Amino acid sequence: MTRHFLNLTDAGGNAVAAMLNDAIDRKAARKGLPKGKADADAPLAGHVLAMVFEKNSTRTRVSFDVAMRQLGGSAVILDAGTTQLGRGETIADTARVLSRMADAIMLRTDDHAKVEELARYASVPVINGLTDLSHPCQIMADLLTVIEHGKALPGLEVAWLGDGNNVLNSIVEAAGLMKFNVRIGVPEGYESDAAFIEAAKLGGANVHVVRDAAEAARGADVVVTDTWISMGQAHAEAKLAAMEPYQVNQALMAHAKADALFLHCLPAHRGEEVTDAVIDGPCSVVWDEAENRIHAQKSVLRWVFGQL
Ligand code: CP
Ligand code: NVA
């Protein structure tokens, strides 16, 4: 059966753990090599990944391209607006065609149903490069970063501050699979997807929604935030005002553990969801997190091709 990576649950906890271990090993094995040089074993030699972007991207497009080169393969990057998809060719037909030309497809889009439809009609693996619902590749990099900085996932206390968005949904999903806990500080009306929270609780994670930002951050091992206005959302003054008490600043970080890490998927809106002092400060591991998009996605790619 074709393996798709639309959400973390498609892989499950054991496969996520295997991918993280693989990423740690592969990252160590290629230390010091130029970024475009292939790994010694080149496990995806001859493979090509087609990437389709219906939304902007810096990290996702570069990290998947470099990941494919390091695995010995290559990537083709398509901006949907310049493709026939952008002129109304159906997702199903696009899936059929790209399946004949590429060995895997990555899609960044708005409606999650589109990535599901692509997977339904593709005969090659499909990877979710972000939808309005979730961002599983980002969370693979986040988990890798946390482990790399010496924190075990089981029992980890994660605090999320701000908007209940796609990135948070994938963090909550990961909590259920990897057995960590999430305290979500979010204003009323901006909560994340209830189904992800219920599934995580069934998986054994403690997930709490709180209104007080300090309460969310208290005793946290990891503090995470993201933009208050995601791609495709209208810039709303009312939303920005509601988010203000959830800004991650030094006063807020003081409620977390002394050795807490600060994560942000980036791009950051400095002075909104996070201050310069925090993102440029000693707790911040955001540049490792960004680099880890490459290493984590190499293992996701190996997993969809049945190598893990
Ligand atoms: N974090 C992330 O997905 O970044 P890009 O939007 O730049 O791809
Ligand atoms: N929540 C953000 C993440 C960007 C990587 C967005 O969807 O725009």
Side-chain angles (χ1 to χ4, degrees):
M1 222 179 82
T2 308
R3 284 185 177 177
H4 301 296
F5 190 77
L6 308 190
N7 276 317
L8 299 168
T9 306
D10 294 341
N14 290 341
V16 166
M19 287 186 250
L20 293 170
N21 286 334
D22 181 63
I24 289 165
D25 292 347
R26 298 192 78 85
K27 183 176 178 180
R30 63 164 294 115
K31 206 173 160 55
L33 289 182
K35 295 176 183 68
K37 190 168 167 61
D39 294 346
D41 57 346
L44 292 186
H47 290 65
V48 60
L49 170 72
M51 289 192 258
V52 184
F53 287 92
E54 291 198 309
K55 287 183 173 185
N56 293 35
S57 169
T58 299
R59 280 143 288 267
T60 303
R61 64 194 292 166
V62 177
S63 60
F64 265 110
D65 192 345
V66 172
M68 283 304 290
R69 291 174 202 222
Q70 293 187 2
L71 292 168
S74 59
V76 178
I77 302 176
L78 301 148
D79 286 313
T82 61
T83 65
Q84 299 294 3
L85 187 64
R87 291 184 59 248
E89 186 169 17
T90 66
I91 290 177
D93 287 352
T94 303
R96 292 178 179 113
V97 171
L98 291 181
S99 296
R100 299 292 185 100
M101 296 181 174
D103 299 292
I105 309 167
M106 193 231 74
L107 174 63
R108 167 168 285 198
T109 189
D110 40 26
D111 187 353
H112 191 79
K114 290 189 187 174
V115 83
E116 290 176 337
E117 191 177 353
L118 188 74
R120 203 157 46 246
Y121 291 99
S123 57
V124 300
V126 171
I127 297 172
N128 172 6
L130 178 146
T131 66
D132 290 347
L133 185 71
S134 60
H135 196 1
C137 292
Q138 178 65 52
I139 276 43
M140 292 301 294
D142 293 4
L143 299 181
L144 177 58
T145 307
V146 166
I147 294 168
E148 204 173 63
H149 283 271
K151 298 191 187 291
L153 297 182
L156 191 79
E157 299 291 340
V158 174
W160 174 275
L161 279 304
D163 191 26
N165 66 13
N166 44 5
V167 173
L168 174 58
N169 285 336
S170 291
I171 289 179
V172 168
E173 186 183 30
L177 296 175
M178 309 313 284
K179 317 297 173 203
F180 61 86
N181 306 315
V182 190
R183 223 147 346 117
I184 303 170
V186 58
E188 214 172 326
Y190 298 102
E191 293 87 356
S192 58
D193 191 284
F196 278 91
I197 295 180
E198 284 318 304
K201 286 181 177 170
L202 284 175
N206 293 322
V207 183
H208 294 292
V209 175
V210 298
R211 301 299 172 203
D212 183 53
E215 188 186 340
R218 194 162 300 132
D221 297 296
V222 178
V223 175
V224 199
T225 190
D226 185 16
T227 180
W228 290 339
I229 311 281
S230 282
M231 290 183 279
Q233 293 179 346
H235 190 91
E237 290 305 324
K239 185 174 186 184
L240 293 178
M243 292 292 158
E244 249 171 55
Y246 300 86
Q247 182 190 65
V248 180
N249 50 37
Q250 284 174 306
L252 199 275
M253 284 303 290
H255 294 283
K257 287 198 180 129
D259 67 346
L261 304 175
F262 172 72
L263 294 179
H264 189 311
C265 65
L266 306 177
H269 301 75
R270 290 164 176 261
E272 291 189 10
E273 75 272 8
V274 62
T275 59
D276 287 338
V278 170
I279 197 168
D280 297 328
C283 297
S284 175
V285 291
V286 300
W287 315 121
D288 291 338
E289 182 185 6
E291 179 190 333
N292 279 338
R293 293 294 302 277
I294 299 174
H295 305 293
Q297 281 154 206
K298 285 166 72 178
S299 302
V300 170
L301 286 159
R302 292 195 68 216
W303 180 78
V304 296
F305 285 115
Q307 295 184 354
L308 294 173

